[in-house]
Amino acid sequence: MRTTSPLAASRSTAPAHGHGTETAAPTLRRRGPDRARPAAPPTGAPTGALTGAPAAPRRSGVALVASLLGFTVITIDVSAVNIALPAIRDSLSGGMAGLQWVVDAYTLMFAALMLSAGALADRAGARRAYAWGIALFTLASLGCALAPGIGVLVGARVAQGGAAAVVMPASLALIRQAYEDARARARAIALWTVGGSVAMAAGPVLGGLLTDSAGWRAVFLLNLPVGAVILGLLVRVERSPRRPAALDGGGQLTAVLALAGLAFAVIEGGHLGWTSGPVLAAGALAVASGYAFRVVEGRHRQPMVPLHMLTDRRMAVSLAVGFAVNAAFYGGIFLLGLYYQQLRGMSGVTAGLMFVPMSAVVTVTNLVSPRLAERIGRRPVIVAGQVIFAGAMLAMLPLAAHTPVWLVLILLLPLSIGGALAVPALTALLMDAVPGERAGTASGLLNSFRQTGGALAVALFGSLLSGPGGFSLPGMHLGLVTVAALLLTTAALSRLLLPRG
């Protein structure tokens, strides 16, 4: 693993919040024939520094609301679609593999393109990149709603995932830009995380209601008005600083091929056979592309993933934890949606309502997590969250077709607490571990690993769940034990390698 290139090193010496080309001294611009006003603050200057302090909280609040809405809508799209899967299968045809691709086409593009999307957020400016992402996501949602067949739907989901990849790091970079104070930024990030966690937990409720009342296409149509509101809010957000950042085509291509090959092997392995030609070829493609990615990034003057960042133990462990936590949560949501409807015969609405207690617990835990981290340190909170999550996976082992509903809800409580406890502290730790000019890249890396974990968990669970009756309990048990073991491993790494504070 090579050292930082001279160009990368020169970037790292830039001011933490200023990397544009504007001069430091404000000038006056003409505004009409005889009126003048101060020019925009220099890049990186705190909002309101030249126009009065009251503007800063207002504009910071608008940036937070816009970021929160975008993060919410791209997250809710995942969990809501999980409840709509049986209706999509009945409407467009397609077996378990087709349903897996409807989910993973989104999350795989989300994961792969987020690597360069972080650099795009830095290069174009967080606000501009965010607006592009929201506009494309809204149009792709319309394409999903109008899809005449499973192939078109998967293609539109690919476009949705690519747009979401831009939205995610840009939304977090907007918050990083809007809040200079570390404590205020940590609380803003916590609220941002609350939005995503609540959306993931509440999405099944909304998905069930929309699917049963208006059809599965309504799940995607809901994104259109939300996208319009976000674009309207962005008009009031301060223009973001920009810095030169190369878009690494070779690295991006090899990343997409590696993740696509791995996902194909896991998804189709359960249907075609693990030793079938296409599955073995996909596995070989994943390994070769992964190696090529490392070589390309090591030689590129401005790689989208600076390899030296991965040698920081806080970064490396944070990425592993993000992968494991999302694998548990995405896998759990996918599993439960099918368990409720296929094994227990629940309607979409009833299945969605089963997630209501989970949504409430997620919300409360997300609010408690940052305060708890301030008191006892981030590392204990991150470790505890993973251990609880592992317990949640094991607690789901007794679930069967006739398990009493009240017992099912009790067994799912640890699932609600684990990720909601760990993620806010994990995200804040990572944002404080990198300089401001690397916020977009670090955010892209973290969320790429998180989405990859979710995509592979869906692929694994889908392959294991396929059985003669459409739902295999032994396959469910094997998947739960696998994810629990992964969480316990990353919890141990967190305990050994992360700083307490």
Side-chain angles (χ1 to χ4, degrees), residues 254 266 311 333 375 435 468:
T254 52
V266 177
T311 62
I333 294 294
R375 290 188 177 184

Side-chain angles (χ1 to χ4, degrees), residues 28 38 108 165 183 190 205 212 308 329 374 418 451 473 499:
L28 292 179
L108 283 173
R183 185 179 294 262
V205 182
D212 280 4
H308 70 275
F329 201 84
E374 287 181 6
Q451 296 303 318
L473 278 175

Side-chain angles (χ1 to χ4, degrees), residues 1 64 89 125 129 140 163 204 212 247 306 322 345 350 366 376 404 410 485:
M1 196 171 291
L64 177 58
R89 179 197 58 202
D212 280 4
L247 297 180
T350 304
N366 266 282
I376 67 174
I410 290 176

Side-chain angles (χ1 to χ4, degrees), residues 95-287:
M96 179 66 76
L99 299 185
Q100 288 171 272
W101 280 117
V102 169
V103 176
D104 274 356
Y106 179 89
T107 50
L108 283 173
M109 290 304 293
F110 201 161
L113 296 186
M114 210 180 309
L115 294 171
S116 59
L120 177 64
D122 293 338
R123 181 176 182 171
R127 189 185 71 168
R128 180 179 296 179
Y130 190 56
W132 290 346
I134 289 295
L136 177 57
F137 184 84
T138 305
L139 291 175
S141 297
L142 180 61
C144 290
L146 300 178
I150 196 74
V152 175
L153 177 58
V154 170
R157 291 285 283 169
V158 168
Q160 265 194 322
V166 177
V167 170
M168 176 74 82
S171 68
L172 193 53
L174 268 184
I175 295 175
R176 179 67 174 79
Q177 163 193 319
Y179 292 88
E180 298 292 329
D181 178 72
R183 185 179 294 262
R185 182 170 62 247
R187 289 174 179 167
I189 289 174
L191 288 174
W192 177 85
T193 308
V194 167
S197 298
V198 172
M200 179 58 71
V205 182
L206 184 60
L209 290 171
L210 290 173
T211 300
D212 280 4
S213 62
W216 63 266
R217 299 178 191 273
V219 173
F220 299 106
L221 290 174
L222 180 65
N223 298 333
L224 274 61
V226 178
V229 170
I230 296 171
L231 293 174
L233 288 173
L234 287 177
V235 175
R236 300 175 56 194
V237 175
E238 283 290 321
R239 183 174 298 175
S240 302
R242 302 167 65 180
R243 71 171 178 86
L247 297 180
D248 181 1
Q252 183 61 84
L253 176 61
T254 52
V256 170
L257 290 176
L259 291 180
L262 183 57
F264 184 94
V266 177
I267 289 175
E268 299 297 339
H271 306 285
L272 302 178
W274 297 103
T275 58
S276 64
V279 172
L280 292 177
L285 174 65
V287 172

Side-chain angles (χ1 to χ4, degrees), residues 83 208-209 211-212 337 340-341 344-354:
I83 294 299
L209 290 171
T211 300
D212 280 4
Y340 289 143
Q341 295 180 81
R344 301 192 66 116
M346 294 182 179
S347 66
V349 172
T350 304
L353 290 175
M354 290 290 291

